[in-house]
Amino acid sequence: MIDFLSSYEVLIQLTLSMTLLAISLQIPLRMGVISFASVGYFAIGGYATAILVAQQGINAWAAVFLSTILGGVIAYILGLGIAHLNGLYLAMATVSFSLILSVVAVNGGSLTGGPVGLFGVIGPITTWHFLVVVAVVIFLVSFTERGKLSRRFDAIREDPQLAAAMGINVVRYRRLSFLISGAIGALSGSMATLMKSAISPESIGFGLIILALTVIIVGGQGSWVGAVLGSLFFLWMPQTIKFVGTWEPVLYGFIVAVAAVTLPGGVLAVYRNWRYRRTAAKVIAQQEARTRDLAMSGATGGGSGDGV
Amino acid sequence: MNLQDVLNASTLGSIYLLFALGMALVWGTMGILNFAHGSVFMFSAFVGYLITSRIPLPLPAVVLIAMVVGAVLTLAIQYFAYQPILKKIKSVNAAELQIVVAGIGLSVIPIALAEKETLSNNFGFQGSTFQTVVYQFGDLRISNIMIIILVLGLGLGFGTAWWIAKSRQGLGLRAVGIDPEVAALMGVDRRKMALATMAFAGALAGLAGALLTYYLTALNPHSGEGLILKAFAAIILGGLGSVLGVILGSFILAFAETAVFAYTSGTWVSAVSFGLILILLVVRPQGILGKKEVRRT
């Protein structure tokens, strides 16, 4: 186990930060908001941490905390400006937001380190700590996937007008989704920067948006499980398909396209459908058995209510 | 900004226009934001490069080849990816996202293929028989390829605007954009219309790719990626659903970029289109010439 950890440590760290980024992308999506701003929050968290730790010499954990708050606040303000947009307009506004930040990072002079980025962001945080942080986030997020809150999210996504008529404050929930998404995205960037001890404009570009998006499309949009599955798949796949060599990007694009066309809810939906069908089949079988029992008991004239 | 800058910006605007026009038509009428448009643009020029590096062809032949490649590729994407998604997913919101992701996934493939062949280097039409000639009028320098781009860009832009506004097919196309079901009831064949629009958009992407390669003398496998966002900026700048809006948007974007390039360091140029998108969507989401009722409440 320890050997495994040390030889794959970087990959594990990448998987963890991608999981957080994917969750950050999912939260608005679960309320019907297609937002790609998560990569921007990632950049904010990463650069804020790098500046605080490497330039100001602030304690790493404090920097993580402050970056997370900053991400949430900026996301909330962004949400105030653009949350009224729908569908692709919001998507493109958020893509622009993310890409502007990468241009700002290139032009930021000594504060952001220009095209090279910032180095020496070193703190006492280990991969184990990161694992715990991700587990805590997943634990908290899982509360929104059960019970009343989960049904509210679904209602806002599927039919905002109906949700409003049921007394759900749709606008407030959507703004809240920006806040949570911003905090988690910034946390992801902050932790990723501390793990790598560096951040550069290259690492927060359009490529990251595409990767995070494909992670949740292939993994599944509706739950953190999809984020974990997708991150595992896309970060560990290059290891397993090394045999295809230079054809790797072609295969990658092909997998993404096929998944988008054939699996609308990701791998997770396939599993859930299968489980649903199995349970449904079981329930139907039970009901049939019950009606048979009732018919038998009716025929013999005896009677006990144990079938019900 | 001197006269030369105006001329250069207009040429750039015409390229943006040729690229964005197809994207805007497809998006405005069928609701499909084709993210693979940039890849099609690049790959059409790339096929032109593959052929001209073996057979010396004149410019019209290269342009024609690129247009055919663009149309065929876009049709294939429509047929194998977007059409099945639209058939499978009824919710417009969910289908939009799925289409964007499918487009992104598919756009990776031509880029990867071109990178593999060129080893990530630039490619051009050095094998073509076309020679660039520069004419000098006082301080003003204009090349024959610039004239071709300006004439084709403006001609096709205004031609399409006129066709959409006046012709019967244009009326059908606008009808599909406003209410597909009623349009179908009125006898518009949506499937045929969709395929025809897609083919036209792909051909325009191929045209833009070939012309830009002649103009810049080289493209690289990633040339199409940035153009998608620029085209998006041009489309929402003018207003979705208005062809004149796309023309206006493309030229405003090109002039803004030229101005930023002239007055600041070049590294800020890419922020122009992103900034325009963000500001416009916050301030005036329907664009300059757009109408409010187009789906974007």
Side-chain angles (χ1 to χ4, degrees):
Chain A
M1 181 64 199
I2 298 298
D3 283 349
F4 175 80
L5 187 71
S6 55
S7 53
Y8 286 105
E9 192 162 0
V10 175
L11 208 51
I12 293 169
Q13 290 166 355
L14 284 174
T15 312
L16 290 172
S17 62
M18 183 48 71
T19 303
L20 282 186
L21 188 62
I23 290 176
S24 157
L25 207 59
Q26 272 180 340
I27 301 261
L29 208 55
R30 283 173 52 209
M31 293 193 220
V33 178
I34 308 178
S35 161
F36 299 136
S38 295
V39 173
Y41 311 145
F42 181 94
I44 290 168
Y47 269 98
T49 304
I51 290 165
L52 288 173
V53 173
Q55 294 181 357
Q56 311 291 328
I58 288 172
N59 172 279
W61 282 112
V64 170
F65 181 73
L66 288 174
S67 308
T68 308
I69 303 273
L70 181 70
V73 170
I74 290 180
Y76 190 76
I77 295 168
L78 181 73
L80 290 181
I82 63 169
H84 62 279
L85 297 169
N86 250 4
L88 292 172
Y89 290 90
L90 196 130
M92 296 309 281
T94 51
V95 167
S96 306
F97 168 75
S98 301
L99 293 178
I100 283 178
L101 287 175
S102 68
V103 179
V104 170
V106 171
N107 291 288
S110 61
L111 186 68
T112 62
V116 190
L118 292 170
F119 292 96
V121 192
I122 298 160
I125 297 177
T126 66
T127 308
W128 289 110
H129 291 140
F130 198 3
L131 195 67
V132 173
V133 168
V134 174
V136 169
V137 170
I138 286 178
F139 177 73
L140 292 175
V141 166
S142 71
F143 280 109
T144 67
E145 293 174 10
R146 263 183 270 124
K148 211 168 155 186
L149 212 49
S150 142
R151 287 194 295 275
R152 280 188 184 164
F153 278 35
D154 292 346
I156 294 169
R157 182 186 61 242
E158 296 298 332
D159 196 336
Q161 276 152 350
L162 179 72
M166 303 297 285
I168 301 169
N169 190 337
V170 174
V171 176
R172 216 182 73 193
Y173 268 90
R174 286 202 165 158
R175 282 186 187 154
L176 198 67
S177 81
F178 271 86
L179 179 80
I180 300 171
S181 168
I184 298 177
L187 178 65
S188 167
S190 172
M191 293 300 279
T193 305
L194 279 163
M195 291 294 128
K196 260 198 332 191
S197 79
I199 185 163
S200 66
E202 229 168 70
S203 60
I204 55 167
F206 199 50
L208 188 63
I209 297 180
I210 292 176
L211 183 60
L213 186 63
T214 49
V215 159
I216 55 166
I217 288 299
V218 173
Q221 304 159 32
S223 158
W224 63 267
V225 183
V228 174
L229 286 178
S231 306
L232 284 172
F233 182 74
F234 277 106
L235 290 167
W236 295 74
M237 180 180 71
Q239 296 276 317
T240 38
I241 61 165
K242 258 185 190 149
F243 66 92
V244 295
T246 49
W247 292 100
E248 192 199 303
V250 178
L251 188 65
Y252 170 85
F254 189 71
I255 290 174
V256 173
V258 168
V261 175
T262 58
L263 311 174
V267 177
L268 188 63
V270 175
Y271 168 72
R272 283 196 173 152
N273 262 342
W274 172 78
R275 205 179 54 180
Y276 172 77
R277 278 206 202 111
R278 216 182 49 162
T279 328
K282 233 186 242 169
V283 171
I284 289 167
Q286 271 172 3
Q287 273 172 352
E288 274 174 359
R290 208 173 291 159
T291 26
R292 208 167 43 234
D293 286 351
L294 275 176
M296 297 254 292
S297 60
T300 52
S304 62
D306 56 7
V308 189
Chain B
M1 202 182 258
N2 58 27
L3 209 55
Q4 185 70 52
D5 283 336
V6 171
L7 193 62
N8 293 345
S10 302
T11 313
L12 190 65
S14 298
I15 291 283
Y16 288 170
L17 173 58
L18 286 174
F19 184 86
L21 189 58
M23 233 174 103
L25 276 180
V26 170
W27 186 18
T29 57
M30 291 182 288
I32 292 175
L33 179 56
N34 183 8
F35 246 90
H37 202 66
S39 252
V40 168
F41 155 91
M42 181 280 299
F43 202 76
S44 310
F46 175 72
V47 171
Y49 151 77
L50 285 184
I51 293 175
T52 50
S53 60
R54 284 161 188 79
I55 311 159
L57 288 174
L59 178 132
V62 178
V63 167
L64 197 67
I65 289 169
M67 286 174 76
V68 170
V69 172
V72 169
L73 271 181
T74 311
L75 276 179
I77 293 169
Q78 166 72 2
Y79 189 79
F80 290 109
Y82 299 158
Q83 215 159 278
I85 290 176
L86 287 169
K87 207 181 272 176
K88 195 179 275 184
I89 308 174
K90 294 295 169 227
S91 146
V92 179
N93 244 332
E96 270 179 349
L97 180 67
Q98 223 66 24
I99 282 174
V100 166
V101 175
I104 289 174
L106 288 170
S107 71
V108 173
I109 299 174
I111 295 172
L113 290 175
E115 278 205 310
K116 205 171 144 59
E117 175 68 27
T118 61
L119 305 172
S120 305
N121 288 318
N122 292 348
F123 58 84
F125 297 151
Q126 279 74 25
S128 170
T129 56
F130 179 79
Q131 294 298 326
T132 310
V133 184
V134 180
Y135 311 102
Q136 183 105 25
F137 302 100
D139 288 341
L140 204 62
R141 293 165 60 84
I142 183 166
S143 67
N144 49 357
I145 186 70
M146 279 167 94
I147 295 170
I148 294 172
I149 290 172
L150 281 167
V151 168
L152 280 178
L154 291 170
L156 278 167
F158 285 107
T160 310
W162 179 81
W163 182 73
I164 298 257
K166 298 291 177 204
S167 76
R168 221 177 135 70
Q169 288 92 338
L171 180 68
L173 203 59
R174 277 183 289 146
V176 170
I178 293 164
D179 192 330
E181 272 167 34
V182 173
L185 287 175
M186 299 296 120
V188 179
D189 188 338
R190 266 163 70 190
R191 228 180 84 90
K192 229 191 231 164
M193 196 93 115
L195 290 175
T197 314
M198 274 296 193
F200 182 61
L204 283 178
L207 177 64
L211 291 180
L212 188 62
T213 314
Y214 274 117
Y215 180 44
L216 299 178
T217 69
L219 285 191
N220 72 58
H222 291 281
S223 294
E225 288 176 359
L227 265 179
I228 284 282
L229 290 161
K230 290 185 182 183
F232 188 89
I235 293 168
I236 60 163
L237 206 57
L240 181 62
S242 154
V243 177
L244 290 176
V246 182
I247 300 174
L248 192 65
S250 304
F251 277 83
I252 291 178
L253 179 65
F255 276 88
E257 284 189 340
T258 309
V260 169
F261 190 77
Y263 296 116
T264 68
S265 69
T267 44
W268 282 104
V269 170
S270 51
V272 174
S273 45
F274 310 147
L276 280 174
I277 293 175
L278 204 56
I279 293 167
L280 218 80
L281 284 179
V282 172
V283 179
R284 193 180 158 83
Q286 72 271 30
I288 297 168
L289 296 181
K291 293 174 192 67
K292 197 111 205 190
E293 63 266 19
V294 181
R295 227 184 62 227
R296 78 179 80 190
T297 39

